[in-house]
Amino acid sequence: MKIEIRDALPSDAALIHHYITELAIYEKAEHEVIASVADIERSLFAADSPAHGLICLIDGQAVGFAIYFYSYSTWLGRKGMYLEDLYISPEHRGSGAGKKMLRHLAGIACDAGCGRLEWSVLDWNEPAIQFYLSLGASPQDEWIRYRLAGDTLTAFARGD
């Protein structure tokens, strides 16, 4: 079994959208996916896109994807990498593909001079939590993430 990681291409937009939908179903949030294939193609592969994509293949067959972007840490005084999504299709979990994908991302982060690689995981996703702990990742339990989105974001920006 040969596991490969390659940069995502515009022709992967439909595949990435498919994996995004599968991930959302797993996370019980399919109704929150409003992006279309065209949205993915336009936003992820635009010349000024802040995000980057990877495709994971086993024996030449796509089995998952990752989307990441660079962030910045004022405390470190250097950039970091934020992993927005990492998904390996269920039938290929346990194959080493997820670990290889994370190791590849860590290499990109190190090569880019990043001081950290961060991501979020749902608090009920015990298999993912155990996987991340096995890699040496540590939870940041003292931080609570907040979000403004959609109509709430728009209303706040307008001062409503």
Side-chain angles (χ1 to χ4, degrees):
M1 175 174 57
K2 183 178 178 185
I3 301 172
E4 299 173 87
I5 311 294
R6 66 164 174 80
D7 290 338
L9 304 168
S11 59
D12 293 317
L15 176 65
I16 291 168
H17 186 269
H18 170 76
Y19 286 142
I20 289 168
T21 303
E22 280 189 9
L23 176 59
I25 291 168
Y26 177 75
E27 292 182 347
K28 303 171 179 66
E30 181 181 12
H31 62 282
E32 293 183 35
V33 177
I34 59 170
S36 67
V37 172
D39 291 331
I40 299 301
E41 187 173 2
R42 185 186 68 260
S43 64
L44 184 59
F45 300 103
D48 63 345
S49 177
H52 308 274
L54 299 172
I55 301 293
C56 182
L57 304 105
I58 295 180
D59 296 331
Q61 176 192 349
V63 299
F65 83 112
I67 302 292
Y68 67 94
F69 58 88
Y70 294 103
S71 58
Y72 183 77
S73 169
T74 55
W75 290 8
L76 295 177
R78 54 201 289 204
K79 65 181 167 182
M81 178 185 283
Y82 189 83
L83 175 58
E84 177 66 23
D85 283 327
L86 186 150
Y87 179 77
I88 302 296
S89 53
E91 61 272 19
H92 297 287
R93 293 182 191 153
S95 67
K99 186 174 185 177
K100 184 151 186 170
M101 183 80 89
L102 274 171
R103 183 165 280 132
H104 187 85
L105 286 157
I108 293 170
C110 289
D111 290 348
C114 294
R116 57 172 66 145
L117 168 58
E118 297 179 300
W119 61 92
S120 297
V121 62
L122 291 167
D123 60 2
W124 56 260
N125 192 346
E126 196 59 33
I129 291 167
Q130 292 306 313
F131 171 64
Y132 298 141
L133 290 172
S134 78
L135 301 176
S138 56
Q140 303 294 295
D141 296 334
E142 65 275 14
W143 295 94
I144 299 173
R145 219 165 113 171
Y146 285 85
R147 175 181 295 164
L148 287 171
D151 293 341
T152 305
L153 173 61
T154 303
F156 181 73
R158 286 192 310 233
D160 296 351

